[in-house]
Amino acid sequence: MIEKPFLSVVMPVHEGAAWIGATLDSLTAEPTGGLEIIIIDSSPTSATATVVERFVQRLPLRLLQRRDLGQWQTKTNFGVEMAAADHVCILPSDDLWLPGRVEAVRRWIADAPEAVLHLAPTAIVDRHGRRMGRWNCPLPADEVLEAEFLLERLLVQNFVSVPAPVFRRSAWLACGGVDEKLWYTADWDVWAKLAGTGPVTYHDEITTAFRVHGSSLTVTGSRDASEFRSQMQIVLERHLPRLPASSRERIGPAARASISVNVSLAAASAGNLKALVRAAGVVLSLGPIGMRRYLRDSRLRERAVCRLRAKLTGAF
């Protein structure tokens, strides 16, 4: 009888040959007992599958070639549905696991078995895998976080890096998984949805790495300013009404300012440096209390500095 895995790792991939070898290498450095790795590949060629096949004897993986499932959201929902474990995590094909990931996740689940979502910070690395900084979550560690508290902070800015969380499969299915119409903010939306399904805990422990590079969806998707803004506004308008009126009055201005700043920063990254002046004006308009809330929850400095470092070293 085959033992049920304790963790399913869902990897949605599309033309990932350049990165997935390093990603799978990072998994081989961990104990693989109790793991299930599901790779859903929609690539039009066999290049990605060729790389994956080098690992079939070293990792407990299943490679599903599904060219009909184009979007990462569709592949991710499909992978979670296929998962055999009660707990699941997502690993994009350009991100990494760090030493101690498996041990940490086992401990998280054992220490908070009732949690539907385990959150954690992540390292930020450049295209060569060199550390550029740390992606934090503005949350207290090792406490049960109430949905309202988490949502108040999460709606100001998505501070959850996709490879870090671990979630209950049943909670994901119950909330509908990622919205396949949200090509940019689907992950932000699903963390907000999961926050309403049960207890959430935050572990101040880095076990994954998020890779910043110029061809990532985070970068390419932000180049259309109007669509970029629309994607963020959809999530805000969908979840802000879940907060009490008093919270909406406090959080709404900071959340809307965050969207404007993100659009301005994307424009500046594309060469429009005047957008930085607009971004500064938006933040100043919040006043002292609003600015403090925005800067705490947006993690603006750490996000910008890491990308700037990568660009200055030619590794973006």
Side-chain angles (χ1 to χ4, degrees), residues 109-169:
I109 294 172
D111 290 348
E114 75 288 352
V116 299
L117 178 62
H118 298 267
L119 298 176
T122 191
I124 299 177
V125 299
D126 67 13
R127 65 184 301 111
H128 303 304
R130 295 177 300 205
R131 284 209 188 194
M132 295 287 105
R134 173 186 170 114
W135 182 338
N136 293 301
C137 300
L139 301 170
D142 302 319
E143 296 181 12
V144 176
L145 305 176
E146 295 182 359
E148 182 180 327
F149 174 86
L150 179 57
L151 202 58
E152 283 184 355
R153 300 198 172 194
L154 187 59
L155 288 183
V156 173
Q157 175 71 38
N158 179 20
F159 48 70
V160 181
S161 174
V162 171
V166 174
F167 53 86
R168 279 194 169 275
R169 177 178 177 271

Side-chain angles (χ1 to χ4, degrees), residues 136-305:
N136 293 301
C137 300
L139 301 170
D142 302 319
E143 296 181 12
V144 176
L145 305 176
E146 295 182 359
E148 182 180 327
F149 174 86
L150 179 57
L151 202 58
E152 283 184 355
R153 300 198 172 194
L154 187 59
L155 288 183
V156 173
Q157 175 71 38
N158 179 20
F159 48 70
V160 181
S161 174
V162 171
V166 174
F167 53 86
R168 279 194 169 275
R169 177 178 177 271
S170 58
W172 179 281
L173 297 177
C175 76
V178 285
D179 185 339
E180 297 177 13
K181 297 187 295 295
L182 295 176
W183 57 265
Y184 184 75
T185 54
D187 58 324
W188 188 19
D189 178 65
V190 80
W191 310 137
K193 290 194 294 187
L194 284 169
T197 64
V200 179
T201 59
Y202 174 63
H203 310 274
D204 191 16
E205 188 172 4
I206 293 179
T207 63
T208 58
F210 174 83
R211 193 189 302 270
V212 293
H213 57 91
S215 57
S216 68
L217 179 62
T218 306
V219 175
T220 59
S222 63
R223 289 172 183 160
D224 183 333
S226 176
E227 182 63 18
F228 185 46
R229 180 184 291 274
S230 175
Q231 286 282 301
M232 291 182 283
Q233 286 179 331
I234 288 171
V235 176
L236 178 60
E237 292 167 4
R238 178 176 291 177
H239 296 288
L240 189 62
R242 291 170 52 191
L243 293 175
S246 58
S247 296
R248 293 198 300 270
E249 292 175 2
R250 289 186 290 105
I251 302 305
R256 294 185 182 92
S258 183
I259 291 174
S260 294
V261 170
N262 288 340
V263 172
S264 295
L265 291 178
S269 180
N272 181 7
L273 297 183
K274 292 182 179 179
L276 293 176
V277 177
R278 292 200 300 271
V282 169
V283 175
L284 290 171
S285 71
L286 293 172
I289 296 176
M291 285 174 58
R292 181 182 177 187
R293 176 177 294 110
Y294 167 73
L295 292 173
R296 179 196 66 194
D297 295 345
S298 70
R299 309 156 356 274
L300 176 63
R301 180 182 175 277
E302 65 195 62
R303 290 188 293 131
V305 167

Side-chain angles (χ1 to χ4, degrees), residues 95-122:
D95 295 335
L96 303 167
W97 275 14
L98 299 179
R101 168 72 169 175
V102 170
E103 179 186 352
V105 172
R106 283 188 181 276
R107 184 178 358 99
W108 297 351
I109 294 172
D111 290 348
E114 75 288 352
V116 299
L117 178 62
H118 298 267
L119 298 176
T122 191

